[in-house]
């Protein structure tokens, strides 16, 4: 399989949780110890980790950087970290704590000038752009605020600015176990065929991942399907 499977760990109050459709009230705790989960992924042969600070996303500043520091210090996983990166001090904490990439979503909408400044300092390659969408329009601030920004305009602007890695989450499918947003991803890849595009949300099975691979996705972020046992660590080890 040429598509890269990237497991997700969502952190709230230092614990590994999952939300459904971004609703904080829907949180389900899967493990009190995120490092344990990260080590299981590494043991299954996975190389990368998508680490999300849900508290940070809600508050607009990085909160769970200690979890990042622990996982980065005790595994060899290549970590992208997002949630609450709203100031230069947040970004410094994220890179100093061991993240290989900073995941940027809300900031790309709220403060484009500062993001462009960061890209000059750290290089565009250090950033993973997160496009969270409801009906092809961007949502920000932990999915609590909807905008009128069309996904295609958003992607085009940042490709022109030098961003090469983008992941897209269809919020209405995230955690819903109804399958990924294949039609949306195909449309995006038709417009931007050279994009390093990572799918996120709704993935239920290895079959879904094969469909994403056929559509041209380079990566797939998988969370709930692993935690609910629909995709097992053994499956992941076999794939790798």
């Amino acid at each position: 399989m040429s598509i890269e499977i990237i497991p997700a760990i969502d952190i709230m109050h230092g614990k590994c949780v999952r939300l459904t459709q971004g609703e904080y009230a829907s949180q389900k705790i899967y493990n009190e110890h995120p490092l344990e989960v990260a080590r299981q992924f590494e043991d299954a042969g996975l190389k990368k980790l998508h680490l999300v600070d849900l508290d940070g996303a809600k508050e607009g500043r990085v909160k769970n950087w200690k979890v990042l520091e622990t996982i980065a210090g005790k595994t060899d996983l290549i970590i992208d970290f997002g949630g609450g990166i709203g100031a230069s001090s947040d970004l410094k904490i994220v890179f100093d704590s061991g993240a290989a990439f900073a995941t940027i979503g809300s900031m790309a909408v709220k403060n484009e000038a500062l993001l462009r400044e960061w890209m000059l300092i750290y290089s565009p390659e250090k950033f993973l752009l997160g496009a969270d969408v409801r009906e092809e329009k961007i949502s920000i601030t932990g999915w609590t605020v909807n905008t009128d920004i069309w996904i295609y305009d958003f992607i085009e602007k940042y490709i022109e600015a030098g961003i090469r890695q983008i992941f897209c989450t269809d919020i209405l499918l995230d955690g819903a176990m109804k399958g990924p947003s294949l039609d949306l991803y195909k449309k995006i890849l038709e417009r931007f065929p050279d994009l390093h595009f990572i799918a996120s949300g709704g993935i239920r099975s290895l079959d879904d991942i094969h469909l994403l691979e056929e559509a041209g996705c380079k990566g797939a972020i998988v969370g709930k399907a692993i935690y609910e046992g629909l995709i097992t660590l053994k499956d992941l080890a076999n794939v790798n």
Side-chain angles (χ1 to χ4, degrees):
M1 196 182 272
S2 62
I3 189 171
E4 186 155 37
I5 297 170
I6 306 164
I9 295 180
D10 292 356
I11 304 299
M12 191 180 275
H13 309 311
K15 298 169 185 172
C16 174
V17 306
R18 289 299 292 167
L19 308 182
T20 299
Q21 296 182 355
E23 293 294 334
Y24 280 70
S26 74
Q27 69 154 304
K28 181 175 178 181
I29 297 170
Y30 284 100
N31 197 307
E32 304 263 341
H33 308 289
L35 175 61
E36 238 175 58
V37 181
R39 280 179 164 157
Q40 288 171 358
F41 293 148
E42 187 173 41
D43 290 344
L46 296 168
K47 304 294 184 202
K48 291 187 176 176
L49 176 66
H50 179 67
L51 192 57
V52 182
D53 182 350
L54 291 174
D55 299 306
K58 202 172 186 182
E59 288 195 31
R61 62 193 179 94
V62 171
K63 299 279 288 179
N64 287 291
W65 59 272
K66 279 282 186 192
V67 174
L68 165 62
E69 189 176 64
T70 300
I71 294 174
K74 297 189 175 181
T75 73
D76 291 323
L77 292 165
I78 298 161
I79 304 169
D80 74 79
F81 182 93
I85 302 173
S88 299
S89 55
D90 292 310
L91 187 62
K92 187 175 187 307
I93 286 169
V94 166
F95 286 138
D96 286 352
S97 299
F101 305 102
T103 304
I104 303 292
S106 300
M107 265 292 299
V109 173
K110 291 178 177 175
N111 198 337
E112 185 184 331
L114 183 55
L115 175 53
R116 286 177 181 270
E117 194 180 300
W118 290 348
M119 284 159 58
L120 286 173
I121 296 166
Y122 293 97
S123 94
E125 287 78 25
K126 291 292 286 180
F127 295 90
L128 175 61
L129 187 67
D132 299 325
V133 297
R134 272 192 181 90
E135 294 170 349
E136 299 194 355
K137 299 284 178 68
I138 298 289
S139 286
I140 58 171
T141 318
W143 302 352
T144 59
V145 178
N146 298 320
T147 76
D148 290 324
I149 301 165
W150 205 32
I151 175 72
Y152 309 103
D153 294 341
F154 181 76
I155 290 173
E156 185 168 28
K157 174 168 68 178
Y158 280 105
I159 284 178
E160 285 170 1
I163 293 279
R164 289 292 169 266
Q165 296 189 93
I166 291 178
F167 77 93
C168 178
T169 306
D170 188 328
I171 295 165
L172 298 179
L173 292 175
D174 187 69
M177 297 289 101
K178 292 179 180 174
S181 198
L182 271 172
D183 290 342
L184 172 64
Y185 300 155
K186 283 174 182 173
K187 280 194 226 171
I188 290 169
L189 284 160
E190 273 168 24
R191 286 173 188 247
F192 310 106
D194 297 328
L195 184 62
H196 187 98
F197 184 82
I198 299 166
S200 170
I203 296 166
R204 306 160 292 191
S205 63
L206 290 179
D207 287 342
D208 283 339
I209 293 169
H210 283 296
L211 289 171
L212 292 167
E213 183 177 32
E214 285 169 13
C217 298
K218 297 288 193 291
I221 293 171
V222 186
K224 194 169 185 178
I226 296 172
Y227 297 110
E228 294 287 348
L230 300 173
I231 298 174
T232 66
L233 291 170
K234 191 177 177 185
D235 290 337
L236 296 175
N238 288 339
V239 165
N240 286 302

